[in-house]
mmCIF file of all heavy atoms in Angstrom:
data_model
loop_
_atom_site.group_PDB
_atom_site.id
_atom_site.type_symbol
_atom_site.label_atom_id
_atom_site.label_comp_id
_atom_site.label_asym_id
_atom_site.label_seq_id
_atom_site.Cartn_x
_atom_site.Cartn_y
_atom_site.Cartn_z
ATOM 1 N N SER Y 325 87.560 250.857 12.473
ATOM 2 C CA SER Y 325 87.316 251.584 13.722
ATOM 3 C C SER Y 325 86.820 252.986 13.377
ATOM 4 O O SER Y 325 85.860 253.459 14.029
ATOM 5 C CB SER Y 325 88.577 251.642 14.521
ATOM 6 O OG SER Y 325 88.329 252.405 15.703
ATOM 7 N N GLN Y 326 87.416 253.640 12.397
ATOM 8 C CA GLN Y 326 86.984 254.964 12.014
ATOM 9 C C GLN Y 326 85.562 254.943 11.439
ATOM 10 O O GLN Y 326 84.751 255.827 11.762
ATOM 11 C CB GLN Y 326 87.944 255.590 11.026
ATOM 12 C CG GLN Y 326 89.292 255.966 11.644
ATOM 13 C CD GLN Y 326 90.264 256.443 10.654
ATOM 14 O OE1 GLN Y 326 89.986 256.656 9.444
ATOM 15 N NE2 GLN Y 326 91.495 256.629 11.076
ATOM 16 N N HIS Y 327 85.256 253.954 10.574
ATOM 17 C CA HIS Y 327 83.930 253.852 10.037
ATOM 18 C C HIS Y 327 82.880 253.600 11.109
ATOM 19 O O HIS Y 327 81.790 254.199 11.108
ATOM 20 C CB HIS Y 327 83.857 252.728 8.988
ATOM 21 C CG HIS Y 327 84.602 253.031 7.745
ATOM 22 N ND1 HIS Y 327 84.354 254.165 6.977
ATOM 23 C CD2 HIS Y 327 85.579 252.354 7.092
ATOM 24 C CE1 HIS Y 327 85.150 254.173 5.942
ATOM 25 N NE2 HIS Y 327 85.905 253.079 6.002
ATOM 26 N N LEU Y 328 83.198 252.716 12.065
ATOM 27 C CA LEU Y 328 82.298 252.441 13.165
ATOM 28 C C LEU Y 328 82.061 253.697 14.037
ATOM 29 O O LEU Y 328 80.953 253.946 14.480
ATOM 30 C CB LEU Y 328 82.770 251.252 13.992
ATOM 31 C CG LEU Y 328 82.739 249.932 13.294
ATOM 32 C CD1 LEU Y 328 83.539 248.888 14.042
ATOM 33 C CD2 LEU Y 328 81.276 249.487 13.086
ATOM 34 N N ALA Y 329 83.127 254.494 14.220
ATOM 35 C CA ALA Y 329 82.994 255.735 14.970
ATOM 36 C C ALA Y 329 81.993 256.724 14.297
ATOM 37 O O ALA Y 329 81.203 257.361 14.968
ATOM 38 C CB ALA Y 329 84.353 256.363 15.203
ATOM 39 N N VAL Y 330 82.085 256.790 12.963
ATOM 40 C CA VAL Y 330 81.170 257.661 12.213
ATOM 41 C C VAL Y 330 79.724 257.168 12.416
ATOM 42 O O VAL Y 330 78.852 257.984 12.689
ATOM 43 C CB VAL Y 330 81.540 257.668 10.723
ATOM 44 C CG1 VAL Y 330 80.430 258.297 9.881
ATOM 45 C CG2 VAL Y 330 82.833 258.350 10.480
ATOM 46 N N LEU Y 331 79.515 255.854 12.334
ATOM 47 C CA LEU Y 331 78.185 255.330 12.512
ATOM 48 C C LEU Y 331 77.693 255.514 13.938
ATOM 49 O O LEU Y 331 76.480 255.780 14.158
ATOM 50 C CB LEU Y 331 78.159 253.820 12.109
ATOM 51 C CG LEU Y 331 78.413 253.552 10.660
ATOM 52 C CD1 LEU Y 331 78.582 252.048 10.399
ATOM 53 C CD2 LEU Y 331 77.287 254.114 9.781
ATOM 54 N N LYS Y 332 78.595 255.434 14.892
ATOM 55 C CA LYS Y 332 78.212 255.623 16.304
ATOM 56 C C LYS Y 332 77.820 257.089 16.533
ATOM 57 O O LYS Y 332 76.834 257.356 17.215
ATOM 58 C CB LYS Y 332 79.389 255.251 17.186
ATOM 59 C CG LYS Y 332 79.111 254.101 18.103
ATOM 60 C CD LYS Y 332 80.300 253.762 18.954
ATOM 61 C CE LYS Y 332 79.832 253.536 20.345
ATOM 62 N NZ LYS Y 332 80.864 252.980 21.202
ATOM 63 N N ARG Y 333 78.615 258.014 16.006
ATOM 64 C CA ARG Y 333 78.320 259.433 16.196
ATOM 65 C C ARG Y 333 76.964 259.808 15.571
ATOM 66 O O ARG Y 333 76.266 260.662 16.096
ATOM 67 C CB ARG Y 333 79.406 260.329 15.566
ATOM 68 C CG ARG Y 333 80.604 260.522 16.441
ATOM 69 C CD ARG Y 333 81.525 261.640 15.930
ATOM 70 N NE ARG Y 333 81.965 261.436 14.575
ATOM 71 C CZ ARG Y 333 83.000 260.741 14.194
ATOM 72 N NH1 ARG Y 333 83.768 260.109 15.103
ATOM 73 N NH2 ARG Y 333 83.348 260.624 12.900
ATOM 74 N N ALA Y 334 76.624 259.121 14.500
ATOM 75 C CA ALA Y 334 75.333 259.360 13.851
ATOM 76 C C ALA Y 334 74.184 258.714 14.562
ATOM 77 O O ALA Y 334 73.011 258.903 14.216
ATOM 78 C CB ALA Y 334 75.375 258.903 12.376
ATOM 79 N N GLY Y 335 74.487 257.888 15.581
ATOM 80 C CA GLY Y 335 73.435 257.198 16.349
ATOM 81 C C GLY Y 335 72.843 256.008 15.597
ATOM 82 O O GLY Y 335 71.764 255.549 15.959
ATOM 83 N N VAL Y 336 73.581 255.479 14.623
ATOM 84 C CA VAL Y 336 73.081 254.363 13.840
ATOM 85 C C VAL Y 336 73.459 253.019 14.500
ATOM 86 O O VAL Y 336 72.717 252.059 14.389
ATOM 87 C CB VAL Y 336 73.639 254.460 12.402
ATOM 88 C CG1 VAL Y 336 73.183 253.301 11.561
ATOM 89 C CG2 VAL Y 336 73.162 255.759 11.736
ATOM 90 N N VAL Y 337 74.626 252.973 15.145
ATOM 91 C CA VAL Y 337 75.051 251.736 15.845
ATOM 92 C C VAL Y 337 75.458 252.116 17.264
ATOM 93 O O VAL Y 337 75.741 253.258 17.595
ATOM 94 C CB VAL Y 337 76.240 251.041 15.118
ATOM 95 C CG1 VAL Y 337 75.882 250.644 13.731
ATOM 96 C CG2 VAL Y 337 77.492 251.908 15.165
ATOM 97 N N THR Y 338 75.500 251.078 18.034
ATOM 98 C CA THR Y 338 76.002 251.175 19.417
ATOM 99 C C THR Y 338 76.916 249.980 19.651
ATOM 100 O O THR Y 338 76.880 249.017 18.842
ATOM 101 C CB THR Y 338 74.838 251.205 20.438
ATOM 102 O OG1 THR Y 338 75.375 251.466 21.743
ATOM 103 C CG2 THR Y 338 74.064 249.900 20.458
ATOM 104 N N SER Y 339 77.734 250.031 20.687
ATOM 105 C CA SER Y 339 78.657 248.874 20.899
ATOM 106 C C SER Y 339 78.607 248.488 22.381
ATOM 107 O O SER Y 339 78.290 249.293 23.272
ATOM 108 C CB SER Y 339 80.070 249.258 20.486
ATOM 109 O OG SER Y 339 80.549 250.305 21.323
#
Side-chain angles (χ1 to χ4, degrees):
S325 178
Q326 290 176 6
H327 289 305
L328 290 167
V330 168
L331 293 171
K332 243 179 136 168
R333 278 193 303 274
V336 178
V337 300
T338 188
S339 65

